Amino acid sequence: MNSAKGDHDFVQSCVLDELWSFFLATRAELALFFAAVVAYLLLFGNAAPKGERQRRGAKARQLKVVADDADNDDDSDLWTAETSEGALSAAERKRLEQSFDAAFAAGDHRQALRCWAGLRRSDVPPAISVAKAVKSMLRMKKDGNIVVRELKGHFQRHPSACRAPGALAEAVEPLARRPDPELATAVIEAAEAAAGARPDEQCFEVLLSMHFSAKNLAQVQALLDETAARGVALTTKARLVAVKAALKGGNFAEACRHFAELKTLFVSSDPTPSVAPQQIVSQLVDLACGERRLGDLLALFEEAACGDNGRVPIGEEVAKAMLVECLRRKDWALSQRTERLIRAGTSPSDATFALLARCAGLADGATAAAQLEALVDEVTKRGTPLSPDFTLAALAPCAQHSGCLSLADWLAECSNLQQQSVASALVRFYAEAEEFDKACDLYERCVAAAAPVGGRSGDTAPRQPAVSLDARAVSCLMNAALRSGRHNLAKHVLDACPADVAKHIAMVRGCAAKGDLAGAHEVFNGLLKTGIEVNSVVYNTVLDACVECRDLKAAEAWMETTKKAGRADVVSYNTLIKAHLQSGNVGKARDLVAQMRAEGLQPNRITFNELANGIVSGAGGGDAAARRRELWGVVKEMQAAGVKPNQVTCSILLKGLNARSRQAEINETMDLITNMDEPMDEVLLSSVVEACVRIGQPALLAAKLKQLQGAQGAAVNGSHTFGSLIKAYGHAKDMAGVWRCWREMRSRRIRPTGITTGCMVEAVVSNGDTEGAYELIQEIRQDESCRDVLNAVIYCSVLKGFTREKRIDRVWAVYEEMLSMKVELSPVTYNTLLDACARSSQMDRAPGIMQDMKAKGIQPNLITYSTLVKGHCQAGDLDRGFATLEEMCRETDFKPDEIMYNSLLDGCAQGGMVGRGLSVLERMQREGVPPSNYSLSLLVKLMSRARRLDGAFELVDKISAKYGFRPNVHVFTNLIQACIANRQLQRGMATFERMLKERVRPESRTIAILARASLAQGAAEQAAGLLRAALGLPTVGMSPVAEDLLPHAVATSLDPAVVSEALQGLADRGRVHDLAVPL
């Protein structure tokens, strides 16, 4: 036993040892485990298991429902409490009223509603605010039906209080503030049903304010119409809302009408009027300027301000806006009225005086000078120097009117000549007025701030000028000094600036830009006198000036001078080559290349690229095939000289490609692009894409676009390239590609240029989504980073789109937006507006457009007059069309073109004026304008309507023979139509046969006219034969023409509607089975 016990102790000892060893080995892990358990219990010891949580949640929801039911029961009791206890005594009513006011003031809206419910038992109207009760209902989120029911009950109990002035407005006012128009309307209807109360002026005031706040201008106008119909006078606040609504809606007449009713508010002798009337006046002025009705508004202001020393509050910004409008319209009389109105209110500021000076320039010479002198005198009497803005504004009219030289002298005496803009403007004025001595004296006396320099009687050391002139003034001063013989002063001007070659080069270029080649030579000679070594750059600059001044003989003479000086280089020859190419002399340019080689100078890429570009541009004349041969000869010569074509070369070659280019030429150009050493950049990619669009090869375009995704593709990072791609996709009618390019460009933060934006807008418009294009413009307007890219060209794309759609209202809306944004308009803009008037038969707007055009200083062009003529003729006002033609010939140098004459012929045809139409044809030929097929088709229409069928055929034969062209399908179709109109079907069929003999295929209209006439005259077989021939089907004995002509009788495009009409006609005549069904 002792042995067994010892074994047991041994085993127990071993187990304990193992457990201890395990504990020691895992003590860290066990410690972390127990720590985690303790932490969990501390944090989540009260958390119940998931099932328990669900049970608790369900119980809580049940309790909440019970509580809500209890609350609802309370409310239900509150709303259903009736007069079971009888009427309230005076003390009880007063207590409830006081409790209501206290509860509302404390924000206890539930208690306030209990008091409201208690007051139902009052037999007299409670002395509480109904508006407060409504607010409490809204705060407690009561349903709209409950609110209406409560108020209706209140109105029924106290109808006299409901009909009291302002009572209904008080009830509606909280609802209007939300705003809740539907609920407010329901309350008004309930009041009328319960107590016969109708909205008074105060109620209409609340309703008008509510709908205006909700921007519901249509409802505002409806309410105003209702007040007028019911004879309800508007309150001052309601009238203000009416003015604001009219301004918001752009209704100038309505705004003026309401403004006139508010004379006592807007017109005051108070020198510091309130801000609100000033804002209304400002908005009214902006609208009047936009509507071109500033004169009407001034009349209203003048009428309102008369008597009792009243005045309309005209702030500085309003005054400036009105004066700017006067300047835009170039209306001197309007500016005078505006000035009187401004002076009646406040003393003009410096900025206002500057605008008044500009307006003075609108008058004639003597009046302008007198007005300017009065303004200068008034400003100088203030004891302060003239501001730069005023001096510049007053000087501008001086340059426009003769006899203002003394005024300019006065300005020079009174102005601060240390201002660069003032000094520069005065120097330019004197120099451009050819008062050269005064320009020089001004510089010596005031600008140089030194003793006279470079006078005729002696020389003085130059000093640093006190103020620097701008570049244009320096150029004018140099010209004045040279023209007046004060060469030392000219030298002083150069010496006063950094004395280096770069300055003289800049002066030479400045003279060249002005076309003053003699001045450029003078500057060069002055540089020679300084003793500075003159390098090739200076010689080449003078040579370039000769080229820029288009004086080829002077350029050749200077080239000889350069050669003698040993300064001729490759740049010199390239410059002279460019000059000869500009004059169209390719042969002389090639001779210069040979001279280069004889002088040991090798032509470079620029040399060959200039030659290639000159040939592509048409220098040297010749037909297209000869120019293409010469162009590729230059390329081969370039390659033979070891000069590889670069990106510029390829771009020039691409520029020469078009829809008539040979496929071999296209392939060679693309091979050069593929094999050139330089990688394709964005410029070349744009050229490739645009060339593919021109030549009309979508497959080639797709292949080149695919290069963008390849390893050698060009990375598109420029806005111009994106514009080319957008244009290409738009041309291919791929709007998905258009929008993809645009979104990619915008997502990469690439700022679009005006050209890119124009390509995008044009692509969207040309694919039939003009509204989408306009929305895109609005998005760009909202983007401050690129809104400045919007210009008249972009807006014109949208204008043309709406014009084609005949949506004249949208055309005018876009035009008004252009004016509001101060977009610089062009003749194209106004021509588009006139075209819109012509297409929409609204030529009564044309005089206003022409007036706006002239007011902006934009001269009409030939297209303008042509559009006017077309519009008047289409409107049936032929006399005005001819008057426009005569006005153009009398007042301009334009000559009528074919389009204008065709418009007149069309007008004569519409009016049946044969004699007048023939006189137009005679004048057209007399002035060397050859008639076209379109002219012939109009003449046929003219003769047909006058029942002169033989004359129509005679005119076609005579004119086509005289001018050597063959009548087209439109002329023949009109002849056939004339035959049918004159009941000569057989002659029409003969004309159809003649047409086929001359290999002119018929169109859908031709077949329709003949088939319809044949059916009308009972020739059903002939009609069926015409349809079969037009469709290319066997005629089966019903051929309308000779069998050998049938291949030419197949119509180019036959409208299914024509076939359907003919089949129906055959069926109506009982020819279903034998003619219609087989067909």
Side-chain angles (χ1 to χ4, degrees):
M1 286 183 65
N2 292 333
S3 175
K5 183 179 181 182
D7 292 339
H8 175 73
D9 293 339
F10 175 76
V11 172
Q12 186 177 9
S13 176
C14 289
V15 171
L16 291 173
D17 289 342
E18 289 295 328
L19 288 173
W20 181 250
S21 299
F22 175 76
F23 175 76
L24 292 176
T26 60
R27 61 184 183 277
E29 289 79 357
L30 291 172
L32 290 173
F33 172 74
F34 285 114
V37 171
V38 171
Y40 178 80
L41 292 175
L42 290 174
L43 294 173
F44 308 105
N46 295 327
K50 181 178 180 180
E52 181 65 22
R53 289 200 306 272
Q54 292 175 346
R55 287 193 295 275
R56 291 182 181 178
K59 186 176 181 180
R61 286 192 295 274
Q62 292 174 0
L63 291 174
K64 185 176 186 301
V65 170
V66 171
D68 291 343
D69 291 341
D71 290 341
N72 291 335
D73 289 342
D74 291 342
D75 291 345
S76 178
D77 293 341
L78 182 142
W79 298 117
T80 58
E82 295 296 340
T83 59
S84 57
E85 299 179 5
L88 290 175
S89 65
E92 289 175 327
R93 184 177 67 253
K94 185 174 182 180
R95 179 180 56 79
L96 285 174
E97 290 171 353
Q98 292 174 348
S99 298
F100 175 86
D101 291 334
F104 184 85
D108 188 354
H109 298 288
R110 183 181 299 278
Q111 181 61 31
L113 292 181
R114 288 193 180 99
C115 296
W116 165 266
L119 288 168
R120 292 177 181 173
R121 295 187 286 118
S122 175
D123 55 357
V124 296
I128 64 171
S129 170
V130 177
K132 292 181 180 180
V134 175
K135 290 178 182 177
S136 294
M137 297 179 203
L138 297 177
R139 290 290 183 89
M140 295 302 294
K141 294 182 170 50
K142 298 304 173 185
D143 185 74
N145 293 328
I146 295 176
V147 176
V148 174
R149 188 177 70 226
E150 275 299 305
L151 291 176
K152 184 175 182 181
H154 175 72
F155 298 152
Q156 287 174 338
R157 290 189 296 273
H158 311 293
S160 60
C162 177
R163 290 191 293 269
L168 190 54
E170 181 186 15
V172 173
E173 189 268 341
L175 304 176
R177 287 184 179 274
R178 295 185 66 174
D180 193 339
E182 292 80 6
L183 188 53
T185 303
V187 170
I188 292 173
E189 292 173 352
E192 186 171 1
R198 303 192 70 183
D200 57 6
E201 59 269 19
Q202 298 179 30
C203 186
F204 275 114
E205 174 188 310
V206 172
L207 293 175
L208 286 169
S209 299
M210 174 183 67
H211 287 296
F212 180 73
S213 299
K215 299 182 179 179
N216 191 348
L217 301 183
Q219 191 60 37
V220 171
Q221 187 58 46
L223 287 172
L224 291 172
D225 294 340
E226 183 179 351
T227 58
R230 291 177 51 188
V232 178
L234 295 180
T235 64
T236 299
K237 184 177 179 181
R239 190 73 69 178
L240 274 174
V241 172
V243 173
K244 292 178 181 178
L247 291 172
K248 192 77 173 177
N251 192 335
F252 178 75
E254 193 71 8
C256 288
R257 184 174 69 84
H258 292 296
F259 178 86
E261 298 293 333
L262 290 171
K263 175 179 177 181
T264 56
L265 177 65
F266 286 92
V267 181
S268 172
S269 58
D270 184 4
T272 57
S274 63
V275 176
Q278 289 191 44
Q279 292 177 344
I280 297 294
V281 170
S282 176
Q283 295 175 21
L284 195 57
V285 168
D286 289 341
L287 181 59
C289 292
E291 294 282 340
R292 309 291 189 277
R293 298 183 65 180
L294 181 59
D296 295 339
L297 183 61
L298 289 178
L300 179 62
F301 286 171
E302 291 163 354
E303 179 183 356
C306 66
D308 300 330
N309 296 320
R311 67 183 188 85
V312 176
I314 303 296
E316 181 179 354
E317 294 303 320
V318 175
K320 289 163 63 177
M322 291 193 294
L323 291 173
V324 168
E325 174 67 8
C326 296
L327 287 169
R328 189 189 65 77
R329 296 174 59 176
K330 297 183 178 179
D331 192 329
W332 160 247
L334 192 64
S335 70
Q336 287 291 284
R337 294 171 60 191
T338 303
E339 181 179 356
R340 286 194 295 270
L341 188 66
I342 293 171
R343 291 182 180 276
T346 59
S347 176
S349 64
D350 288 342
T352 307
F353 270 118
L355 287 171
L356 289 173
R358 290 178 59 191
C359 289
L362 300 175
D364 56 28
T367 305
Q371 184 73 10
L372 285 171
E373 288 178 2
L375 286 172
V376 174
D377 183 60
E378 182 179 356
V379 175
T380 52
K381 286 180 178 178
R382 298 166 65 183
T384 57
L386 301 183
S387 68
D389 289 341
F390 179 80
T391 302
L392 296 177
L395 199 58
C398 293
Q400 298 171 4
H401 302 287
S402 58
C404 292
L405 186 60
S406 60
L407 179 61
D409 296 338
W410 191 5
L411 289 172
E413 292 293 334
C414 301
S415 300
N416 182 6
L417 296 178
Q418 301 309 310
Q419 294 282 345
Q420 182 192 39
S421 58
V422 174
S424 299
L426 285 166
V427 168
R428 289 196 304 269
F429 170 79
Y430 284 129
E432 291 169 0
E434 298 187 354
E435 294 289 335
F436 303 121
D437 285 327
K438 287 190 176 182
C440 297
D441 292 340
L442 181 73
Y443 179 79
E444 292 178 339
R445 177 173 56 87
C446 301
V447 180
V453 293
R456 294 192 179 98
S457 59
D459 295 334
T460 306
R463 299 184 184 181
Q464 189 67 22
V467 62
S468 60
L469 302 178
D470 59 32
R472 183 182 166 195
V474 171
S475 178
C476 290
L477 184 60
M478 284 290 298
N479 181 56
L482 294 172
R483 295 284 295 274
S484 61
R486 300 168 77 163
H487 299 288
N488 289 335
L489 177 60
K491 182 177 182 300
H492 171 80
V493 174
L494 286 176
D495 292 341
C497 303
D500 54 15
V501 175
K503 181 62 181 179
H504 288 76
I505 290 176
M507 291 297 299
V508 170
R509 290 173 178 167
C511 293
K514 293 172 54 179
D516 185 8
L517 188 56
H521 283 290
E522 185 70 27
V523 173
F524 177 82
N525 293 331
L527 183 61
L528 285 180
K529 293 177 182 179
T530 62
I532 298 176
E533 182 179 359
V534 181
N535 55 23
S536 300
V537 176
V538 182
Y539 278 95
N540 291 337
T541 302
V542 178
L543 179 61
D544 193 56
C546 297
V547 174
E548 189 170 352
C549 292
R550 303 281 179 172
D551 192 339
L552 189 56
K553 290 184 177 179
E556 290 177 336
W558 188 258
M559 185 64 178
E560 294 300 322
T561 301
T562 306
K563 288 180 180 179
K564 291 178 181 178
R567 300 298 184 184
D569 55 11
V570 176
V571 176
S572 309
Y573 279 99
N574 287 343
T575 303
L576 195 56
I577 286 172
K578 181 175 70 173
H580 284 294
L581 290 173
Q582 287 177 350
S583 64
N585 195 339
V586 178
K588 187 64 176 178
R590 285 192 167 278
D591 291 343
L592 285 171
V593 174
Q595 290 180 28
M596 288 177 66
R597 289 179 171 139
E599 295 287 339
L601 300 172
Q602 291 300 319
N604 57 13
R605 279 197 181 96
I606 297 176
T607 309
F608 290 112
N609 287 342
E610 286 286 355
L611 283 172
N613 188 56
I615 294 170
V616 169
S617 300
D623 57 10
R627 287 202 303 271
R628 284 197 297 269
R629 288 193 298 271
E630 189 169 10
L631 175 63
W632 283 99
V634 172
V635 174
K636 288 179 172 53
E637 183 181 350
M638 183 179 187
Q639 293 171 329
V643 180
K644 291 186 176 182
N646 62 355
Q647 296 171 350
V648 177
T649 313
C650 295
S651 295
I652 293 170
L653 294 173
L654 288 168
K655 188 167 63 174
L657 297 179
N658 52 44
R660 296 183 297 276
S661 299
R662 294 179 296 108
Q663 188 61 43
E665 184 180 350
I666 296 171
N667 294 338
E668 287 179 9
T669 304
M670 297 304 168
D671 289 342
L672 275 179
I673 295 172
T674 304
N675 298 326
M676 69 178 182
D677 294 338
E678 300 175 354
M680 180 183 290
D681 62 357
E682 289 188 69
V683 176
L684 183 56
L685 175 63
S686 297
S687 300
V688 171
V689 169
E690 292 171 1
C692 292
V693 171
R694 283 198 309 274
I695 62 181
Q697 292 192 9
L700 181 60
L701 174 60
K704 290 303 175 184
L705 291 175
K706 193 174 181 180
Q707 289 184 3
L708 289 172
Q709 304 172 0
Q712 297 181 348
V716 180
N717 296 311
S719 177
H720 175 76
T721 310
F722 273 110
S724 298
L725 293 172
I726 289 169
K727 180 180 178 182
Y729 281 119
H731 184 78
K733 307 296 181 184
D734 183 1
M735 287 306 298
V738 169
W739 284 108
R740 184 173 60 252
C741 287
W742 178 259
R743 293 190 186 102
E744 181 183 352
M745 181 184 70
R746 300 294 284 152
S747 64
R748 290 168 56 186
R749 308 288 184 184
I750 298 175
R751 184 178 182 273
T753 63
I755 295 175
T756 307
T757 307
C759 290
M760 182 63 192
V761 172
E762 180 62 31
V764 178
V765 171
S766 62
N767 282 274
D769 188 10
T770 309
E771 282 292 353
Y774 179 73
E775 290 173 3
L776 178 63
I777 290 177
Q778 299 309 306
E779 291 178 10
I780 296 172
R781 278 189 64 187
Q782 300 303 320
D783 189 345
E784 294 183 358
S785 64
C786 56
R787 66 174 56 163
D788 59 320
V789 305
L790 296 176
N791 53 37
V793 176
I794 295 171
Y795 272 103
C796 272
S797 296
V798 176
L799 284 175
K800 290 175 182 177
F802 285 132
T803 297
R804 287 193 290 268
E805 297 170 6
K806 296 184 179 181
R807 299 178 61 186
I808 190 68
D809 56 330
R810 301 294 290 126
V811 171
W812 285 107
V814 174
Y815 175 57
E816 293 296 336
E817 181 176 316
M818 294 173 70
L819 293 176
S820 66
M821 289 187 61
K822 296 180 173 55
V823 176
E824 186 176 352
L825 305 181
S826 66
V828 178
T829 309
Y830 288 100
N831 292 343
T832 305
L833 293 174
L834 291 171
D835 187 43
C837 295
R839 290 173 183 258
S840 304
S841 301
Q842 295 190 21
M843 288 303 293
D844 54 320
R845 295 180 182 243
I849 296 173
M850 294 297 293
Q851 183 179 358
D852 286 355
M853 189 175 186
K854 292 179 180 178
K856 288 186 175 297
I858 299 174
Q859 296 300 320
N861 55 21
L862 182 61
I863 298 175
T864 309
Y865 288 105
S866 181
T867 307
L868 284 171
V869 171
K870 180 185 72 173
H872 290 312
C873 291
Q874 288 179 349
D877 193 350
L878 199 59
D879 290 337
R880 186 169 293 184
F882 276 97
T884 303
L885 172 66
E886 297 303 329
E887 177 187 350
M888 182 193 75
C889 295
R890 183 176 62 254
E891 297 182 0
T892 70
D893 295 331
F894 300 135
K895 299 296 182 182
D897 60 358
E898 183 198 340
I899 297 175
M900 189 174 291
Y901 282 121
N902 286 341
S903 296
L904 292 170
L905 287 174
D906 191 23
C908 293
Q910 290 180 17
M913 301 179 181
V914 178
R916 207 166 188 180
L918 293 177
S919 66
V920 171
L921 174 63
E922 182 182 352
R923 177 175 177 175
M924 185 178 183
Q925 297 179 87
R926 185 173 64 250
E927 296 187 4
V929 180
S932 65
N933 266 311
Y934 184 66
S935 309
L936 263 186
S937 66
L938 293 173
L939 288 167
V940 170
K941 186 192 301 184
L942 173 70
M943 303 301 286
S944 171
R945 293 186 177 180
R947 302 294 179 181
R948 294 173 60 176
L949 185 59
D950 292 336
F953 278 93
E954 182 182 347
L955 275 176
V956 170
D957 294 337
K958 180 180 178 181
I959 291 177
S960 60
K962 180 178 180 179
Y963 293 98
F965 63 86
R966 186 178 63 179
N968 63 9
V969 63
H970 305 296
V971 176
F972 278 115
T973 301
N974 279 6
L975 282 172
I976 293 171
Q977 177 69 53
C979 294
I980 302 303
N982 286 271
R983 301 183 181 278
Q984 297 188 29
L985 177 59
Q986 293 306 316
R987 190 170 186 178
M989 291 300 299
T991 304
F992 180 64
E993 189 165 354
R994 173 189 169 184
M995 172 183 175
L996 300 182
K997 287 179 180 179
E998 295 188 17
R999 302 296 188 266
V1000 178
R1001 288 186 179 274
E1003 61 181 359
S1004 182
R1005 177 168 166 260
T1006 315
I1007 302 300
I1009 292 171
L1010 288 171
R1012 197 176 293 124
S1014 299
L1015 287 171
Q1017 297 190 23
E1021 291 85 355
Q1022 182 172 285
L1026 282 167
L1027 280 178
R1028 286 180 171 275
L1031 293 169
L1033 301 175
T1035 55
V1036 292
M1038 294 181 290
S1039 175
V1041 294
E1043 292 292 333
D1044 60 328
L1045 297 178
L1046 286 177
H1048 306 294
V1050 180
T1052 53
S1053 59
L1054 190 60
D1055 189 348
V1058 174
V1059 179
S1060 299
E1061 180 186 352
L1063 291 174
Q1064 185 64 44
L1066 292 172
D1068 292 343
R1069 287 160 179 77
R1071 308 299 297 270
V1072 177
H1073 298 291
D1074 59 336
L1075 294 179
V1077 172
L1079 181 59

